[in-house]
């Protein structure tokens, strides 16, 4: 397994230098900033990622203002109590990507967010307090307790909302395989343990957040 500096050098050679290899990578929010994020923002991010799963992301991006309007701004309190009639209205609404399982997941995640927020002060506070050394546990929690937040969906929600972490896209997985961390895309918590260990090691070496490390791993391949 190479050091992070060696992987950064590979990415730099592919993209025209170290500055280019690190360009445009978002800075994660601080714990205080993350704790102050609004619950409706979290539900919106979940909905966006759920709708994007399995279809063109550009389709969702184009329709997003209309989707947001149809869901009334994604207030978790209101949507967690969605009536059958309101659910059916959304299924008929041309502004929405009319997938019953995805709309049901948004309703269920509204209830999930309300419950967590009531216990922790806000959903963002619960996310902010989750230890960095157990990022895979956070992903597993979202998958288990949330609706349709498994696979890469939960990781994309966290990235969208500013929580430091890694997204195991195709190029990141390819680099992890190249480094001998894994031999195939990880599909279980046990298989994710060496991924967490590798990111912990690279973070300790570099002093950089997981978000930056994840992007550099991807740029060392693509």
């Amino acid at each position: 397994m190479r050091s992070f500096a060696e992987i950064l050098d590979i990415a730099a050679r592919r993209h025209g230098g170290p500055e280019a290899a690190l360009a445009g990578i978002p800075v994660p929010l601080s714990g205080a900033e993350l704790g102050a994020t609004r619950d409706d923002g979290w539900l919106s991010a979940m909905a966006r990622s759920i709708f994007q799963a399995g279809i063109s992301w550009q389709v969702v991006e184009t329709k997003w203002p209309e989707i947001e309007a149809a869901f009334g701004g994604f207030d978790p309190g209101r949507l967690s109590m969605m009536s059958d009639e309101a659910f059916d209205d959304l299924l008929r609404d041309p502004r929405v990507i009319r997938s019953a399982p995805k709309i049901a997941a948004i309703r269920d995640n509204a209830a999930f967010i309300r419950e967590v927020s009531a216990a922790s002060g806000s959903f963002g506070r619960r996310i902010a307090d989750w230890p960095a050394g157990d990022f895979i546990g956070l992903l597993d929690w979202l998958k288990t307790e949330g609706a349709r937040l498994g696979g890469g969906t939960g990781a994309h929600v966290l990235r969208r909302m500013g929580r430091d972490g890694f997204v195991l896209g195709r190029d990141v997985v390819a680099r992890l395989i190249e480094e001998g961390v894994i031999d195939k895309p990880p599909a279980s918590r046990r298989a994710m343990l060496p991924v967490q260990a590798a990111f912990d090691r690279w973070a300790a070496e570099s002093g950089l957040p997981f978000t930056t490390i994840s992007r550099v791993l991807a740029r060392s391949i693509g």
Side-chain angles (χ1 to χ4, degrees), residues 72-108:
F74 291 104
D75 175 65
R78 186 178 65 81
L79 290 178
S80 67
M81 301 176 68
M82 186 189 303
S83 66
D84 290 343
E85 291 77 13
F87 186 92
D88 290 341
D89 286 344
L90 283 171
L91 278 178
R92 292 189 293 266
D93 194 324
R95 297 173 295 175
V96 174
I97 295 169
R98 289 171 281 182
S99 164
K102 292 186 176 184
I103 293 172
I106 294 165
R107 178 194 60 200
D108 294 345

Short mmCIF file of all heavy atoms in Angstrom, two decimals, residues 72-108:
data_model
loop_
_atom_site.label_atom_id
_atom_site.label_comp_id
_atom_site.label_asym_id
_atom_site.label_seq_id
_atom_site.Cartn_x
_atom_site.Cartn_y
_atom_site.Cartn_z
N GLY A 72 -42.98 20.79 -1.09
CA GLY A 72 -43.17 21.87 -0.13
C GLY A 72 -41.94 22.22 0.68
O GLY A 72 -42.05 22.63 1.84
N GLY A 73 -40.75 22.09 0.07
CA GLY A 73 -39.53 22.47 0.76
C GLY A 73 -38.96 21.40 1.68
O GLY A 73 -38.00 21.65 2.40
N PHE A 74 -39.55 20.22 1.69
CA PHE A 74 -39.02 19.07 2.43
C PHE A 74 -39.02 19.28 3.96
O PHE A 74 -38.05 18.93 4.64
CB PHE A 74 -37.61 18.70 1.95
CG PHE A 74 -37.60 18.13 0.56
CD1 PHE A 74 -37.18 18.91 -0.52
CD2 PHE A 74 -38.04 16.84 0.32
CE1 PHE A 74 -37.20 18.40 -1.81
CE2 PHE A 74 -38.05 16.32 -0.96
CZ PHE A 74 -37.63 17.10 -2.03
N ASP A 75 -40.10 19.81 4.46
CA ASP A 75 -40.25 19.91 5.91
C ASP A 75 -40.47 18.51 6.50
O ASP A 75 -41.47 17.85 6.17
CB ASP A 75 -41.44 20.79 6.26
CG ASP A 75 -41.71 20.82 7.74
OD1 ASP A 75 -40.86 21.32 8.49
OD2 ASP A 75 -42.77 20.31 8.16
N PRO A 76 -39.56 18.02 7.36
CA PRO A 76 -39.70 16.65 7.87
C PRO A 76 -40.98 16.42 8.67
O PRO A 76 -41.58 15.35 8.58
CB PRO A 76 -38.45 16.47 8.75
CG PRO A 76 -37.46 17.45 8.23
CD PRO A 76 -38.30 18.64 7.80
N GLY A 77 -41.38 17.43 9.46
CA GLY A 77 -42.59 17.25 10.26
C GLY A 77 -43.81 17.00 9.40
O GLY A 77 -44.60 16.09 9.66
N ARG A 78 -43.98 17.80 8.37
CA ARG A 78 -45.16 17.66 7.51
C ARG A 78 -45.11 16.39 6.69
O ARG A 78 -46.09 15.64 6.59
CB ARG A 78 -45.28 18.88 6.59
CG ARG A 78 -46.54 18.90 5.75
CD ARG A 78 -46.62 20.16 4.91
NE ARG A 78 -45.56 20.22 3.92
CZ ARG A 78 -45.59 19.57 2.74
NH1 ARG A 78 -46.64 18.81 2.43
NH2 ARG A 78 -44.60 19.68 1.89
N LEU A 79 -43.92 16.10 6.11
CA LEU A 79 -43.82 14.95 5.21
C LEU A 79 -43.85 13.62 5.97
O LEU A 79 -44.27 12.60 5.43
CB LEU A 79 -42.56 15.04 4.36
CG LEU A 79 -42.59 16.14 3.30
CD1 LEU A 79 -41.27 16.18 2.54
CD2 LEU A 79 -43.75 15.95 2.33
N SER A 80 -43.42 13.61 7.23
CA SER A 80 -43.49 12.36 8.00
C SER A 80 -44.93 11.96 8.30
O SER A 80 -45.21 10.80 8.60
CB SER A 80 -42.72 12.52 9.32
OG SER A 80 -43.36 13.46 10.18
N MET A 81 -45.85 12.92 8.20
CA MET A 81 -47.26 12.66 8.45
C MET A 81 -48.07 12.68 7.15
O MET A 81 -49.27 12.91 7.16
CB MET A 81 -47.80 13.70 9.43
CG MET A 81 -47.06 13.70 10.76
SD MET A 81 -47.61 14.99 11.88
CE MET A 81 -49.26 14.40 12.27
N MET A 82 -47.40 12.42 6.04
CA MET A 82 -48.07 12.44 4.73
C MET A 82 -49.24 11.46 4.69
O MET A 82 -49.09 10.28 5.01
CB MET A 82 -47.05 12.07 3.65
CG MET A 82 -47.56 12.19 2.23
SD MET A 82 -46.39 11.50 1.02
CE MET A 82 -44.89 12.45 1.35
N SER A 83 -50.36 11.95 4.28
CA SER A 83 -51.55 11.10 4.16
C SER A 83 -51.48 10.26 2.88
O SER A 83 -50.68 10.55 1.97
CB SER A 83 -52.81 11.95 4.12
OG SER A 83 -52.84 12.74 2.94
N ASP A 84 -52.31 9.24 2.81
CA ASP A 84 -52.37 8.43 1.59
C ASP A 84 -52.78 9.29 0.40
O ASP A 84 -52.29 9.09 -0.72
CB ASP A 84 -53.37 7.28 1.78
CG ASP A 84 -52.87 6.23 2.75
OD1 ASP A 84 -51.65 6.21 3.03
OD2 ASP A 84 -53.71 5.45 3.23
N GLU A 85 -53.68 10.25 0.64
CA GLU A 85 -54.14 11.11 -0.44
C GLU A 85 -52.99 11.99 -0.96
O GLU A 85 -52.82 12.15 -2.18
CB GLU A 85 -55.29 12.00 0.04
CG GLU A 85 -56.59 11.25 0.33
CD GLU A 85 -56.56 10.50 1.66
OE1 GLU A 85 -55.65 10.74 2.48
OE2 GLU A 85 -57.47 9.67 1.87
N ALA A 86 -52.19 12.53 -0.03
CA ALA A 86 -51.06 13.36 -0.44
C ALA A 86 -50.02 12.54 -1.18
O ALA A 86 -49.41 13.01 -2.15
CB ALA A 86 -50.44 14.02 0.79
N PHE A 87 -49.84 11.29 -0.74
CA PHE A 87 -48.91 10.39 -1.41
C PHE A 87 -49.36 10.15 -2.85
O PHE A 87 -48.57 10.22 -3.80
CB PHE A 87 -48.83 9.07 -0.64
CG PHE A 87 -47.80 8.11 -1.15
CD1 PHE A 87 -46.51 8.10 -0.63
CD2 PHE A 87 -48.12 7.18 -2.14
CE1 PHE A 87 -45.56 7.21 -1.10
CE2 PHE A 87 -47.17 6.29 -2.61
CZ PHE A 87 -45.88 6.30 -2.09
N ASP A 88 -50.66 9.85 -3.00
CA ASP A 88 -51.20 9.60 -4.34
C ASP A 88 -51.11 10.85 -5.21
O ASP A 88 -50.87 10.75 -6.43
CB ASP A 88 -52.66 9.13 -4.24
CG ASP A 88 -52.77 7.73 -3.65
OD1 ASP A 88 -51.76 7.00 -3.66
OD2 ASP A 88 -53.86 7.38 -3.17
N ASP A 89 -51.30 12.03 -4.61
CA ASP A 89 -51.18 13.27 -5.37
C ASP A 89 -49.76 13.42 -5.92
O ASP A 89 -49.57 13.85 -7.07
CB ASP A 89 -51.51 14.46 -4.49
CG ASP A 89 -53.00 14.59 -4.21
OD1 ASP A 89 -53.81 13.95 -4.93
OD2 ASP A 89 -53.36 15.31 -3.26
N LEU A 90 -48.74 13.08 -5.12
CA LEU A 90 -47.36 13.17 -5.59
C LEU A 90 -47.10 12.19 -6.72
O LEU A 90 -46.36 12.49 -7.66
CB LEU A 90 -46.39 12.92 -4.43
CG LEU A 90 -46.19 14.08 -3.46
CD1 LEU A 90 -45.40 13.62 -2.24
CD2 LEU A 90 -45.48 15.25 -4.14
N LEU A 91 -47.69 11.01 -6.64
CA LEU A 91 -47.51 10.02 -7.70
C LEU A 91 -48.09 10.50 -9.03
O LEU A 91 -47.65 10.07 -10.10
CB LEU A 91 -48.16 8.69 -7.31
CG LEU A 91 -47.36 7.77 -6.40
CD1 LEU A 91 -48.18 6.53 -6.07
CD2 LEU A 91 -46.04 7.37 -7.07
N ARG A 92 -49.08 11.40 -8.96
CA ARG A 92 -49.69 11.92 -10.18
C ARG A 92 -49.09 13.25 -10.61
O ARG A 92 -49.40 13.75 -11.69
CB ARG A 92 -51.21 12.09 -9.97
CG ARG A 92 -51.98 10.79 -9.82
CD ARG A 92 -53.48 11.04 -9.84
NE ARG A 92 -53.92 11.79 -8.67
CZ ARG A 92 -54.39 11.23 -7.55
NH1 ARG A 92 -54.47 9.91 -7.46
NH2 ARG A 92 -54.77 11.98 -6.54
N ASP A 93 -48.24 13.82 -9.77
CA ASP A 93 -47.72 15.17 -10.01
C ASP A 93 -46.63 15.13 -11.10
O ASP A 93 -45.61 14.47 -10.93
CB ASP A 93 -47.13 15.73 -8.71
CG ASP A 93 -46.88 17.23 -8.77
OD1 ASP A 93 -46.50 17.73 -9.85
OD2 ASP A 93 -47.06 17.89 -7.74
N PRO A 94 -46.83 15.80 -12.23
CA PRO A 94 -45.84 15.76 -13.31
C PRO A 94 -44.51 16.43 -12.95
O PRO A 94 -43.51 16.24 -13.65
CB PRO A 94 -46.53 16.52 -14.46
CG PRO A 94 -47.53 17.40 -13.78
CD PRO A 94 -47.99 16.65 -12.57
N ARG A 95 -44.48 17.20 -11.87
CA ARG A 95 -43.22 17.83 -11.46
C ARG A 95 -42.26 16.85 -10.82
O ARG A 95 -41.05 17.10 -10.73
CB ARG A 95 -43.51 18.96 -10.46
CG ARG A 95 -44.34 20.11 -11.01
CD ARG A 95 -44.70 21.09 -9.90
NE ARG A 95 -45.57 20.47 -8.90
CZ ARG A 95 -45.96 21.07 -7.78
NH1 ARG A 95 -45.55 22.32 -7.52
NH2 ARG A 95 -46.76 20.46 -6.94
N VAL A 96 -42.77 15.71 -10.40
CA VAL A 96 -42.01 14.75 -9.59
C VAL A 96 -41.62 13.54 -10.45
O VAL A 96 -42.32 13.17 -11.39
CB VAL A 96 -42.87 14.29 -8.39
CG1 VAL A 96 -42.19 13.18 -7.60
CG2 VAL A 96 -43.18 15.47 -7.49
N ILE A 97 -40.48 12.94 -10.12
CA ILE A 97 -40.13 11.64 -10.70
C ILE A 97 -41.00 10.61 -9.99
O ILE A 97 -40.79 10.32 -8.81
CB ILE A 97 -38.63 11.35 -10.50
CG1 ILE A 97 -37.81 12.38 -11.30
CG2 ILE A 97 -38.28 9.93 -10.95
CD1 ILE A 97 -36.35 12.38 -10.99
N ARG A 98 -41.97 10.09 -10.70
CA ARG A 98 -43.07 9.38 -10.05
C ARG A 98 -42.74 7.91 -9.79
O ARG A 98 -43.22 7.00 -10.46
CB ARG A 98 -44.34 9.56 -10.88
CG ARG A 98 -44.88 10.98 -10.78
CD ARG A 98 -45.99 11.27 -11.76
NE ARG A 98 -45.48 11.52 -13.11
CZ ARG A 98 -46.24 11.84 -14.14
NH1 ARG A 98 -47.54 11.92 -14.00
NH2 ARG A 98 -45.70 12.06 -15.31
N SER A 99 -41.93 7.70 -8.76
CA SER A 99 -41.56 6.36 -8.30
C SER A 99 -42.12 6.17 -6.90
O SER A 99 -41.68 6.85 -5.95
CB SER A 99 -40.03 6.21 -8.27
OG SER A 99 -39.65 5.09 -7.50
N ALA A 100 -43.07 5.28 -6.75
CA ALA A 100 -43.69 5.07 -5.44
C ALA A 100 -42.68 4.67 -4.37
O ALA A 100 -42.72 5.19 -3.25
CB ALA A 100 -44.81 4.04 -5.55
N PRO A 101 -41.74 3.73 -4.67
CA PRO A 101 -40.77 3.37 -3.63
C PRO A 101 -39.90 4.54 -3.19
O PRO A 101 -39.57 4.67 -2.01
CB PRO A 101 -39.94 2.27 -4.29
CG PRO A 101 -40.83 1.68 -5.33
CD PRO A 101 -41.62 2.85 -5.85
N LYS A 102 -39.53 5.41 -4.12
CA LYS A 102 -38.67 6.54 -3.76
C LYS A 102 -39.44 7.59 -2.97
O LYS A 102 -38.92 8.18 -2.01
CB LYS A 102 -38.03 7.14 -5.02
CG LYS A 102 -37.02 6.21 -5.67
CD LYS A 102 -36.28 6.86 -6.83
CE LYS A 102 -35.21 5.91 -7.37
NZ LYS A 102 -34.38 6.52 -8.44
N ILE A 103 -40.68 7.84 -3.35
CA ILE A 103 -41.49 8.80 -2.60
C ILE A 103 -41.76 8.26 -1.19
O ILE A 103 -41.71 9.01 -0.20
CB ILE A 103 -42.80 9.09 -3.35
CG1 ILE A 103 -42.50 9.84 -4.65
CG2 ILE A 103 -43.76 9.91 -2.47
CD1 ILE A 103 -43.69 10.02 -5.57
N ALA A 104 -42.02 6.96 -1.08
CA ALA A 104 -42.21 6.35 0.23
C ALA A 104 -40.95 6.48 1.08
O ALA A 104 -41.02 6.71 2.30
CB ALA A 104 -42.61 4.89 0.08
N ALA A 105 -39.78 6.34 0.45
CA ALA A 105 -38.52 6.46 1.19
C ALA A 105 -38.34 7.87 1.73
O ALA A 105 -37.83 8.06 2.84
CB ALA A 105 -37.35 6.08 0.29
N ILE A 106 -38.76 8.87 0.97
CA ILE A 106 -38.65 10.25 1.44
C ILE A 106 -39.57 10.47 2.64
O ILE A 106 -39.17 11.09 3.64
CB ILE A 106 -38.99 11.22 0.29
CG1 ILE A 106 -37.92 11.11 -0.80
CG2 ILE A 106 -39.11 12.66 0.79
CD1 ILE A 106 -38.31 11.73 -2.11
N ARG A 107 -40.76 9.94 2.59
CA ARG A 107 -41.67 10.02 3.75
C ARG A 107 -41.06 9.33 4.96
O ARG A 107 -41.06 9.86 6.08
CB ARG A 107 -43.00 9.37 3.39
CG ARG A 107 -44.03 9.34 4.53
CD ARG A 107 -45.15 8.39 4.19
NE ARG A 107 -44.64 7.03 3.99
CZ ARG A 107 -45.30 6.08 3.32
NH1 ARG A 107 -46.47 6.35 2.77
NH2 ARG A 107 -44.79 4.88 3.20
N ASP A 108 -40.49 8.12 4.75
CA ASP A 108 -39.90 7.38 5.86
C ASP A 108 -38.67 8.09 6.42
O ASP A 108 -38.43 8.08 7.64
CB ASP A 108 -39.52 5.97 5.41
CG ASP A 108 -40.74 5.11 5.05
OD1 ASP A 108 -41.87 5.51 5.41
OD2 ASP A 108 -40.56 4.07 4.38
#
